[in-house]
Structure formats: structure tokens, C-alpha cells
Amino acid sequence: MLANVCKFVPSNTAVDVIHTTNFVTEAQIPPYTGLRQFSVYRVHYVMEGTGILHTAQRDFPLSEGDVFFTFPAFAHGVESTGDLKYMFVSFIGARGNTLMEQYRIRKTQPVYPGYPEAKAIWDHFFAISNTANLDIISESVLLYTL
């Protein structure tokens, strides 16, 4: 059985870049206990199974191959309804804000279904990431997904 794994990226002080903070595999989803908020953006990729992204506005179904986003100070929770496994990259920075605006990624529609081809990239990049390359690997996954 897979375990949850979180790899942290060292901080970067440049303000005109995007800064990824971690690259995470969520293989054991805890029971849903309500909405939470974080101070970063996150791009998620559903590797397997089904689930629900709960938000204050509405719920969104999740299934394998879906990409979904969460936002700073965005109340949300993820529930597994069928062996859900997903990965995510957390990010912050002025360029992160710009990219979210550029691609019109909004809180009202945070789920983008149907990207099965991205699974191999996410899986491979996570497997080859280490402390020496994690910053560029996690940013690459983020930019590829966008």
C-alpha cells in the first residue's frame, strides 16, 4: 500500500517568480471532516478513484484524470468516494497569481475533467524528484499542467 509522501521545496526570495512549496502524493485520504483553508494555491491531479471537492459554494465530483485547483483562503475539503488518490503541487508568488488570471482559473469552476495523459508526467516527475531538483521538477509539473 502506498503512503502519503510530502517533499518540501527550499524557499526562493525572488518576487517575480512562482515558488512551489511542496509536491505531495495523497494515497491515504483521511475521512472528510469539513472545509479547511490554506495560504497557497494548489494544483491537484487525480491519479485514481473518485471523490468530491467540497467548497462553500458547491460540491464538484472528482475522477481519475481530473485536474483541480484550490486557492489561498479558499474553504474546501476533499472526500474519497472510491479509493481516491491524488497528487498536488502547492505554489505562491506574483507569477502564480498572474498565471491563474491568465488561464482564467476561478474559484467558481476549480475542476477540469479529462486529462488522462498527464498521469504519466505527474507520476514520473514525482518519482525522479529529490532535494537537488525538486524546485524545477515541481514547477515543471505545475507549468505542464497549466
Side-chain angles (χ1 to χ4, degrees):
M1 177 186 326
L2 289 175
N4 294 344
V5 179
C6 179
K7 298 181 179 184
F8 286 94
V9 179
S11 66
N12 183 333
T13 57
V15 295
D16 63 339
V17 299
I18 195 165
H19 175 64
T20 56
T21 59
N22 55 20
F23 193 0
V24 177
T25 292
E26 292 283 2
Q28 299 172 348
I29 311 301
Y32 174 70
T33 58
L35 303 179
R36 302 181 313 174
Q37 297 182 34
F38 298 96
S39 60
V40 295
Y41 289 103
R42 287 183 174 167
V43 57
H44 304 75
Y45 184 78
V46 179
M47 300 297 284
E48 298 177 20
T50 59
I52 300 168
L53 172 64
H54 297 281
T55 73
Q57 293 75 34
R58 63 175 274 220
D59 295 339
F60 298 87
L62 300 171
S63 60
E64 185 173 328
D66 289 356
V67 173
F68 67 101
F69 293 86
T70 56
F71 308 81
F74 176 66
H76 71 281
V78 178
E79 178 181 7
S80 176
T81 58
D83 296 323
L84 182 66
K85 293 176 181 61
Y86 64 92
M87 301 175 85
F88 67 85
V89 172
S90 300
F91 62 100
I92 56 175
R95 185 164 180 231
N97 300 342
T98 301
L99 288 169
M100 297 297 276
E101 290 175 18
Q102 177 181 346
Y103 291 107
R104 296 185 177 105
I105 298 167
R106 306 276 190 253
K107 295 176 184 177
T108 55
Q109 188 56 48
V111 179
Y112 298 83
Y115 293 92
E117 68 281 1
K119 183 176 185 176
I121 296 292
W122 277 77
D123 202 29
H124 176 71
F125 276 28
F126 190 82
I128 65 168
S129 65
N130 59 54
T131 55
N133 67 12
L134 188 55
D135 57 342
I136 195 71
I137 291 285
S138 58
E139 186 176 337
S140 296
V141 169
L142 167 62
L143 295 175
Y144 169 82
T145 303
L146 287 172

